[in-house]
Amino acid sequence: MNQRPQPDTALTVPSLHRWNAVFWVLLGVVPPALAVADAPGTTRFPVLGLLAVLALSYGAVGLFPGNPALRPRPYLYVLVVGLGAMSYLLDGSAALFVVTLPHFWIYTASARAAMALSGLAAAGVVAGNVVRQGWDGEFFTGNVIFTLIGYAAGVLIGLGVRHITEDADERARRLSAELEEARLRLIEAHHRQGAADERERLAREIHDTLAQGFASIIVLAEAARSGLATDSCRSGKHLLAIENTARENLAEARVLVGSAPRSGVAAGSVADTLRRTLRRFTEDTGTRVTSELPDVTCDQQTRIALLRCTQESLANIRKHAAASTVEVVLTAQPYGIELEITDDGAGFVAEDSHGFGLHGMRKRLAELGGELTVTSSVGDGTRVLAMIPTDGQG
């Protein structure tokens, strides 16, 4: 369907249309109609008929802009002819012309077209008045002068308003472009942050699972190699442990590439899971482990977090502590679940430690609303306390 042209620079603000319609009817149509109320029929009826045509034409274009019967440009030609005819019938129609001037700027797409058509209308008004006065009459009547002044003022005002609207449209376009650019930057930033978070998650999972598994395999392989000649039975146990660790690493690798359940942790209670981990640690290292692991109720995410904290703590003990005993205590508190892991190893200065393992544990617990407390000093062992809030389940 054809639509009334609405260029970016056209004055097509709806409120402007409504106010212009009100002023045009009150100041343009009503005064001539009242002026011919007592005039002879030869003047009254043509004037009222012409006003009706102009009013109906304006209504058709203003209220039904998509109508096929009368388009905006033909309507402006109707105005040109109607204003000229009205000037002839009333011996001047400068007031109606001035009130009608906004129509030429509203319904045209360019300032040049508005000036040309309004100039043509001004010429029609002047011509109608001159023909009515006769060619031997005075040319520069008040009606002619008022029409020319109105046309000049209309051009200046129209150009000024159009310039203002062009600036406003340009600012709106710039603002829209800036907002779109900001939106795209925000989406890109979110994408980069999501990628960074995913890389960090993968790095944490690899460190907590695969890296520790490979480290365990290395230790077991060294022990198995050193005992081949003297204790083949013990070397066999080490090889079996290597096989089991390799299988677990393979399962974890499948989890990381998305071909296995996301947790990578077998179902069961958190106490059973920790007991299996501690038993494997004792078998691999020979370190004595004591534990208090009551059955506590928690969700899968909490169980995984507790397991990863235990695995990371045991890995640090194996690599750095040279501890002879390790104690693990799991406690259900009213405010959450606590996991305490202590050793009698070499210890370290906790404030100076910025390793990835501790950072990963803190990050994992923080995602669940929990926190990690590490207490240690050189020669006095280490205490790791992980707390994860729950809903009061125990």
Side-chain angles (χ1 to χ4, degrees):
M1 180 185 293
N2 294 328
Q3 297 290 330
R4 176 167 59 88
Q6 294 185 354
D8 291 340
T9 57
L11 309 182
T12 57
V13 181
S15 60
L16 178 62
H17 281 214
R18 290 192 294 269
W19 282 108
N20 176 71
V22 172
F23 284 120
W24 187 74
V25 171
L26 294 179
L27 303 179
V29 177
V30 173
L34 295 177
V36 298
D38 297 328
T42 54
T43 301
R44 182 171 70 254
F45 295 129
V47 168
L48 294 177
L50 186 55
L51 289 174
V53 170
L54 295 179
L56 291 175
S57 299
Y58 179 47
V61 174
L63 298 178
F64 307 99
N67 78 87
L70 186 62
R71 311 301 299 156
R73 183 57 67 91
Y75 163 67
L76 297 179
Y77 291 132
V78 171
L79 278 183
V80 170
V81 175
L83 290 172
M86 191 68 69
S87 179
Y88 174 79
L89 292 173
L90 295 178
D91 194 14
S93 60
L96 178 60
F97 166 75
V98 171
V99 175
T100 307
L101 277 175
H103 295 205
F104 295 99
W105 294 87
I106 290 174
Y107 295 108
T108 52
S110 66
R112 180 177 298 180
M115 289 188 291
L117 288 172
S118 60
L120 188 61
V125 172
V126 171
N129 184 245
V130 170
V131 171
R132 182 68 179 223
Q133 292 286 336
W135 297 106
D136 56 349
E138 182 181 0
F139 180 79
F140 287 104
T141 62
N143 184 75
V144 171
I145 294 174
F146 189 44
T147 299
L148 295 177
I149 294 175
Y151 171 71
V155 169
L156 293 176
I157 295 174
L159 290 175
V161 173
R162 190 173 290 269
H163 178 70
I164 293 173
T165 57
E166 287 176 351
D167 288 345
D169 290 340
E170 180 62 26
R171 287 195 297 271
R173 284 193 294 270
R174 286 200 302 267
L175 179 60
S176 178
E178 291 173 358
L179 290 175
E180 179 64 16
E181 183 180 357
R183 186 183 70 85
L184 293 177
R185 286 200 302 268
L186 183 61
I187 291 175
E188 184 179 357
H190 284 167
H191 177 74
R192 289 197 302 267
Q193 184 62 44
D197 291 343
E198 181 64 11
R199 285 195 298 270
E200 182 178 354
R201 186 193 68 81
L202 286 174
R204 189 171 65 231
E205 293 294 339
I206 290 173
H207 177 274
D208 290 349
T209 56
L210 299 183
Q212 293 180 13
F214 288 133
S216 177
I217 288 174
I218 292 173
V219 172
L220 292 170
E222 291 175 346
R225 185 177 66 247
S226 63
L228 283 176
T230 59
D231 192 349
S232 59
C233 181
R234 184 173 181 81
S235 295
K237 292 181 179 180
H238 288 321
L239 291 175
L240 180 60
I242 289 174
E243 178 184 350
N244 292 333
T245 303
R247 292 183 185 278
E248 292 174 359
N249 265 23
L250 179 60
E252 293 289 354
R254 287 172 175 168
V255 170
L256 292 177
V257 298
S259 60
R262 196 60 168 169
S263 69
V265 179
S269 71
V270 63
D272 291 339
T273 303
L274 295 183
R275 288 190 189 99
R276 288 194 297 268
T277 301
L278 296 177
R279 184 167 56 250
R280 174 64 57 80
F281 175 77
T282 300
E283 293 173 354
D284 293 347
T285 64
T287 305
R288 187 168 65 90
V289 178
T290 61
S291 62
E292 295 181 17
L293 301 173
D295 287 331
V296 298
T297 303
C298 62
D299 57 28
Q300 180 76 340
Q301 286 185 321
T302 300
R303 190 164 68 93
I304 294 171
L306 293 173
L307 172 62
R308 298 307 185 209
C309 288
T310 302
Q311 290 173 330
E312 175 62 25
S313 298
L314 295 178
N316 288 336
I317 292 171
R318 172 188 293 176
K319 289 185 290 186
H320 308 297
S324 60
T325 60
V326 176
E327 183 180 6
V328 180
V329 178
L330 181 67
T331 308
Q333 303 287 1
Y335 50 81
I337 296 176
E338 287 186 349
L339 175 67
E340 184 180 19
I341 303 173
T342 58
D343 67 78
D344 60 354
F348 62 98
V349 180
E351 292 77 10
D352 297 338
S353 177
H354 304 286
F356 184 83
L358 291 178
H359 172 74
M361 282 195 289
R362 288 193 174 93
K363 186 70 178 293
R364 187 185 295 275
L365 294 175
E367 291 175 353
L368 300 177
E371 59 183 15
L372 181 74
T373 303
V374 179
T375 306
S376 182
S377 61
V378 178
D380 291 333
T382 302
R383 174 179 177 267
V384 175
L385 178 63
M387 191 284 293
I388 301 178
T390 63
D391 296 330
Q393 297 176 349

